[in-house]
Amino acid sequence: MLRGNALRALSAVLWLLPAAAFAQERGRTDGPEGSELGKGGYERPGGGRYSVAFNWGASLQDRDPLTGMEGPPLFVGATASYWTDDWFVLDASAAYLLNSGRILLLIGPKVRSGFYPISGFLGLQAGAIVQSGKPLHFGLSPSVGGDILLADRLILGLGYAMDIPLGRELPGHRVFMNIGYRF
């Protein structure tokens, strides 16, 4: 008899337990795109719409890359990005090439494969190429590479870019890594 009463009491507690649970009120999902975020609807993998990254790597010129250099064949830079979606990104970047003294100020789109957490990308940036003692050049910089999203906000990437100054200057090549934070 005691056993039957204990089973009835346990089943009553288990039946009433969900009614006592407190939860966030579910939001509506018929509003504008993105309004369901944080309301029990969808989540955006990888953070928000902005990111910043630090870039570094090797920088070489097309002809005689190791002669007539001012410094080591390296570069450093930074990139700020606006993510319209996980597959389309607008980048603004600046880089300093130690071997030629060039400063690259570039802006342009990048298309990503959008797979989570590993993705490939193709990009095309354009902008100013500044070098002391030489006139200001307009240049193009197509790029290709891949990145991985770690801990939902940290981005690690590996890529290649060809810097093409329009005019008589020789193109340069950059092989780079980057580490960034998406917020």
Side-chain angles (χ1 to χ4, degrees):
M1 180 112 162
L2 181 62
R3 190 175 189 185
N5 288 337
L7 284 176
R8 276 190 221 115
L10 180 61
S11 66
V13 167
L14 291 176
W15 186 75
L16 292 174
L17 190 62
F22 296 101
Q24 177 184 0
E25 182 179 317
R26 303 246 340 150
R28 296 178 55 111
T29 59
D30 59 351
E33 186 65 31
S35 66
E36 66 275 5
L37 297 176
K39 302 288 188 186
Y42 305 108
E43 284 185 23
R44 178 184 308 277
R49 295 205 178 269
Y50 302 97
S51 68
V52 292
F54 173 69
N55 313 311
W56 71 95
S59 169
L60 298 172
Q61 302 300 312
D62 248 2
R63 188 178 302 144
D64 299 327
L66 298 177
T67 59
M69 290 192 311
E70 297 175 15
L74 301 173
F75 85 96
V76 294
T79 302
S81 301
Y82 174 70
W83 298 65
T84 60
D85 205 343
D86 285 332
W87 62 273
F88 189 78
V89 181
L90 292 173
D91 289 335
S93 61
Y96 177 71
L97 286 60
L98 279 70
N99 61 347
S100 64
R102 285 182 180 173
I103 297 173
L104 308 175
L105 302 170
L106 305 169
I107 189 167
K110 179 169 56 178
V111 178
R112 301 175 70 247
S113 60
F115 298 122
Y116 179 80
I118 299 174
S119 182
F121 66 81
L122 291 171
L124 179 62
Q125 294 184 321
I129 298 177
V130 182
Q131 189 169 359
S132 66
K134 296 193 178 182
L136 178 69
H137 286 290
F138 178 79
L140 296 174
S141 183
S143 62
V144 63
D147 55 37
I148 184 168
L149 186 64
L150 299 174
D152 288 334
R153 301 223 182 254
L154 186 65
I155 303 168
L156 298 176
L158 179 64
Y160 164 78
M162 180 181 213
D163 303 320
I164 307 167
L166 301 179
R168 296 183 178 210
E169 293 291 319
L170 294 174
H173 304 273
R174 291 180 290 142
V175 177
F176 58 90
M177 293 183 69
N178 61 19
I179 184 167
Y181 182 76
R182 189 169 172 190
F183 54 95

